[in-house]
Amino acid sequence: MTELMIVDDEPHSVDSLADTIDWSSIGIANVHKAYSALEALGKLKQGPVDIIITDIHMPKMNGLELIEEIRKVWPRTKCLILSGYAEFEFAQKAMQLKTVEYLLKPVLNEEIIAKMKLLIEQLQSEWSEISSMEQAVKAIRENLPLLRGTLLLEFLRTGGSELEARGTKLELLQLPFALGDDYSMFMLRLEKGFRSFNQDNRPLLEYAVFNIVEEIMGKAFDVWYGKDEYGYHIFLIRWKWDEEERRSNLSALHMKEEEYVDTLISRIQYNVKVFLKGELSILAGKWGRFPYELSSGYYEMLTVFRQQIGKESSFCMKLSGYSKCKDVHTITSLYEPPVLAQLLETGRWQEAEDKLKRIFEQMLAPKYSTRDNLIEVYFHIYNAFTYILHRNGRKISEFLGRGFEHVINGNTYHHAEQLLSRTLEMLYQLRDESLFEQQDSRRQMIQKVQRYIEHNLSGDVSLHTLAGQVYIHPTYLSKIYKAETGEGINHYIQRLRKDKAIQLLKDTDLKIYEIGQLVGLANTTYFIKQFRKDTGMTPQEFRDLLKR
């Protein structure tokens, strides 16, 4: 969705235009109002705006001067002039400023809507081009960005050592950073979203983000980019403007250097969210002399980033505003009995899931939202699952398959939510596989019992004897058999005796007492009584009926 601002020194004109058009129908999310050019600049510093509709004649700063200031900081913001003045010089100046349209009042709402649709299309097209996958593919094919990123990582890891050799590399790679230059560093981490990008085209996403950063920062700064082994994206910046240009441009914007940089970083986060449909976390560092304190600053920022575990997944903060947490606290819910390994071992799956959720709920409390606590929970969970799998003769690598490398790499998990999600997946997989194995084992046991009964129907098929065949307690066998088949084991035996007796009465001339012995009922009187109970007639009556 697009952000719009309407600027005019006549309040009724601003209010009327804001309220009489259904802006949401053409993709406008919010309509901001400003009753002077200076107020408009102030609001632009507070948050990004994509399109400006402005009058020309306003006190202190007119509309054309406003557009000039906007172009210095927000060059891609679209500007549309509505004015009652038709002077040629204003129209000419508007064209020089690349204003899309110069519309004369009075103007119909339909005309404004048509021009706004055009501006929105152009805006989306421009940002789509900047972050397009085609540009990302092209950038990947070039070696220069990769070499520059590798050199930046060398500086980050070892700081100011081997300056002479690295100074030569800076020149060879056409990097405008020189020893002693003022620099600042900020780090990005890709968070949630980015649905149009999967793991296979992740590099395309990263280069799309880089293109957006370079587009926003590139007017005032040289940008040097690299990605470390932990998945953090590091950007070094130095001013392109000399001191006089900086003073002039920032004075015109009524902004200080720090405020200007903050505005651009905020714009990066906003544009990535709007155009790549994902969220970023950003940590801005301090200014220093290149390359001194570069390595120590990097590791300090890395530590601070990791301290945000369990907090909001998308944030924008400054290293200077970070207060260190000195206390370390234990995640007590990890160790409250029964522990996770015990619940997994006894197959208490729902209780295990509830315990995991209690653990991660505790992690979300501010004093537990640390990298140390994430590592504590990670190893506890990993050890619990490894114990259960090894106890059952299984390798964790076989259990996890392709996800094995992902799980053993602790640096993969930046947030408690990530670790909880993956842990629950593992729990459900272990539960389902265990239940399947359990059912398969029970099925085989029942089949063995049934085969024994079939082959020994005339002998001892008591519950105690059957339990001995499968090495379990008679009561447990009775319970499992009923649960798996839906009928009691004695009912099955009696049904088998009835069916076999009927078959022998049909197909043989054996005497009644002989048939009783073959089906395990040697007491003829009891056999006749049981047969009548099952069929409604005596064995002889059943045989006579067959002869008719």
Side-chain angles (χ1 to χ4, degrees):
M1 298 292 280
T2 304
E3 301 287 321
L4 168 67
M5 183 182 291
I6 302 172
V7 188
D8 199 319
D9 61 327
E10 296 181 0
H12 73 275
S13 297
V14 175
D15 297 339
S16 175
L17 186 56
D19 298 336
T20 57
I21 293 178
D22 182 8
W23 295 106
S24 63
S25 67
I26 60 172
I28 301 295
N30 296 294
V31 179
H32 308 273
K33 302 177 183 179
Y35 303 106
S36 71
L38 293 177
E39 183 184 357
L41 286 176
K43 289 191 173 184
L44 281 167
K45 295 175 187 177
Q46 297 173 10
V49 173
D50 302 295
I51 301 175
I52 302 284
I53 296 179
T54 181
D55 189 21
I56 288 184
H57 286 275
M58 294 182 289
K60 295 185 180 180
M61 179 185 289
N62 65 37
L64 296 178
E65 291 169 334
L66 169 62
I67 294 172
E68 284 189 84
E69 297 305 316
I70 290 172
R71 287 283 176 262
K72 292 177 183 178
V73 186
W74 304 282
R76 293 198 174 274
T77 297
K78 300 299 180 183
C79 300
L80 175 62
I81 289 179
L82 297 181
S83 181
Y85 297 85
E87 294 93 334
F88 173 74
E89 61 177 300
F90 287 125
Q92 187 179 46
K93 183 66 174 177
M95 292 175 64
Q96 292 172 354
L97 291 169
K98 298 180 181 178
T99 302
V100 173
E101 280 293 348
Y102 181 104
L103 298 180
L104 287 175
K105 297 178 181 178
V107 60
L108 297 174
N109 286 351
E110 288 76 11
E111 294 180 81
I112 296 176
I113 291 172
K115 298 305 178 186
M116 287 295 295
K117 287 182 178 179
L118 176 64
L119 290 176
I120 292 171
E121 288 178 6
Q122 291 179 354
L123 194 66
Q124 292 176 339
S125 177
E126 289 175 10
W127 283 109
S128 176
E129 182 180 351
I130 290 168
S131 58
S132 68
M133 298 178 78
E134 288 77 13
Q135 281 199 350
V137 171
K138 181 180 178 182
I140 290 174
R141 289 173 179 169
E142 296 174 355
N143 291 322
L144 195 57
L146 178 61
L147 295 172
R148 286 176 172 176
T150 301
L151 180 59
L152 176 56
L153 293 184
E154 290 179 16
F155 274 109
L156 294 176
R157 290 172 184 140
T158 59
S161 62
E162 302 179 11
L163 287 181
E164 185 175 347
R166 289 181 184 158
T168 303
K169 289 183 179 180
L170 288 171
E171 295 178 10
L172 290 172
L173 297 178
Q174 303 170 10
L175 286 163
F177 288 76
L179 303 183
D181 280 352
D182 289 331
Y183 79 92
S184 184
M185 174 167 52
F186 63 93
M187 297 173 64
L188 307 182
R189 186 171 67 200
L190 304 185
E191 306 289 8
K192 298 182 291 187
F194 305 108
R195 294 185 182 87
S196 59
F197 297 90
N198 55 37
Q199 199 61 37
D200 293 333
N201 59 21
R202 189 76 172 184
L204 304 181
L205 165 62
E206 294 171 353
Y207 274 92
V209 171
F210 168 70
N211 285 337
I212 287 178
V213 173
E214 196 167 53
E215 176 68 23
I216 291 172
M217 305 293 293
K219 181 178 178 63
F221 295 95
D222 292 309
V223 181
W224 187 4
Y225 163 73
K227 178 187 175 185
D228 68 11
E229 62 267 35
Y230 308 114
Y232 294 94
H233 301 264
I234 300 98
F235 293 85
L236 249 58
I237 58 173
R238 66 177 289 280
W239 286 101
K240 283 182 178 178
W241 297 336
D242 58 31
E243 289 189 16
E244 185 177 346
E245 288 177 312
R246 205 181 311 167
R247 187 165 43 252
S248 173
N249 290 334
L250 295 178
S251 176
L253 294 169
H254 306 286
M255 298 173 76
K256 298 179 180 179
E257 289 184 11
E258 185 177 0
E259 186 181 5
Y260 178 69
V261 174
D262 291 346
T263 300
L264 296 182
I265 288 177
S266 176
R267 183 77 190 195
I268 291 169
Q269 193 176 42
Y270 170 79
N271 279 13
V272 167
K273 184 174 184 178
V274 171
F275 298 105
L276 296 181
K277 311 302 181 188
E279 296 184 4
L280 288 180
S281 288
I282 305 179
L283 175 62
K286 305 170 185 175
W287 285 88
R289 296 279 183 180
F290 179 80
Y292 311 106
E293 298 183 358
L294 181 58
S295 181
S296 60
Y298 162 68
Y299 284 108
E300 182 182 7
M301 293 178 71
L302 197 60
T303 299
V304 171
F305 234 130
R306 288 171 169 174
Q307 293 298 330
Q308 305 311 303
I309 301 301
K311 299 182 181 178
E312 56 181 329
S313 63
S314 178
F315 59 83
C316 187
M317 62 183 292
K318 297 166 69 172
L319 186 63
S320 58
Y322 174 75
S323 57
K324 296 182 179 179
C325 178
K326 297 181 180 179
D327 299 327
V328 178
H329 303 274
T330 298
I331 304 290
T332 54
S333 53
L334 275 176
Y335 309 104
E336 294 171 353
V339 296
L340 180 61
Q342 292 173 329
L343 295 175
L344 297 179
E345 186 175 19
T346 54
R348 293 150 69 181
W349 309 114
Q350 186 58 54
E351 291 179 62
E353 181 177 348
D354 293 341
K355 184 173 184 67
L356 285 169
K357 290 179 178 178
R358 286 197 301 274
I359 291 168
F360 284 94
E361 183 179 353
Q362 185 177 357
M363 283 190 71
L364 295 179
K367 70 177 183 179
Y368 300 110
S369 302
T370 67
R371 181 71 177 177
D372 278 42
N373 285 132
L374 184 72
I375 293 172
E376 178 186 16
V377 173
Y378 168 78
F379 279 113
H380 186 92
I381 291 171
Y382 181 83
N383 289 337
F385 275 90
T386 302
Y387 166 72
I388 296 304
L389 291 167
H390 286 181
R391 184 176 176 276
N392 292 309
R394 300 185 61 185
K395 294 181 179 179
I396 194 166
S397 57
E398 295 174 353
F399 172 71
L400 295 173
R402 293 181 61 184
F404 177 65
E405 293 297 329
H406 185 79
V407 169
I408 64 171
N409 182 7
N411 291 316
T412 300
Y413 302 105
H414 300 308
H415 307 298
E417 291 88 345
Q418 288 178 313
L419 183 55
L420 173 61
S421 176
R422 182 55 182 142
T423 302
L424 289 178
E425 287 178 9
M426 292 168 60
L427 175 66
Y428 299 151
Q429 180 183 344
L430 183 62
R431 177 198 63 191
D432 294 344
E433 291 182 4
S434 297
L435 290 176
F436 178 81
E437 290 173 0
Q438 187 179 54
Q439 289 174 348
D440 187 58
S441 175
R442 287 181 174 183
R443 193 178 300 112
Q444 292 180 22
M445 179 179 66
I446 289 169
Q447 289 174 353
K448 184 176 181 180
V449 167
Q450 290 177 338
R451 283 196 296 272
Y452 182 86
I453 293 171
E454 291 168 5
H455 296 150
N456 298 276
L457 193 59
S458 62
D460 183 4
V461 288
S462 65
L463 184 60
H464 186 273
T465 299
L466 295 175
Q469 295 297 314
V470 290
Y471 310 106
I472 62 174
H473 193 277
T475 302
Y476 186 50
L477 172 61
S478 179
K479 181 179 178 181
I480 289 177
Y481 194 95
K482 181 68 178 290
E484 292 295 320
T485 66
E487 68 176 344
I489 197 165
N490 286 330
H491 186 272
Y492 172 76
I493 293 172
Q494 186 54 40
R495 181 163 55 84
L496 197 63
R497 283 172 169 161
K498 180 199 71 174
D499 292 342
K500 187 168 184 179
I502 289 174
Q503 180 261 321
L504 292 173
L505 287 168
K506 285 181 179 179
D507 301 334
T508 71
D509 294 326
L510 292 172
K511 299 184 182 301
I512 301 299
Y513 76 88
E514 292 175 325
I515 293 176
Q517 291 175 347
L518 289 175
V519 299
L521 296 176
N523 186 317
T524 305
T525 302
Y526 180 74
F527 168 57
I528 294 171
K529 180 180 178 181
Q530 187 63 43
F531 190 88
R532 175 181 285 174
K533 180 179 177 182
D534 293 336
T535 64
M537 61 185 74
T538 66
Q540 188 59 51
E541 290 172 342
F542 180 82
R543 178 172 274 174
D544 293 342
L545 184 64
L546 292 175
K547 293 178 179 179
R548 292 178 186 173

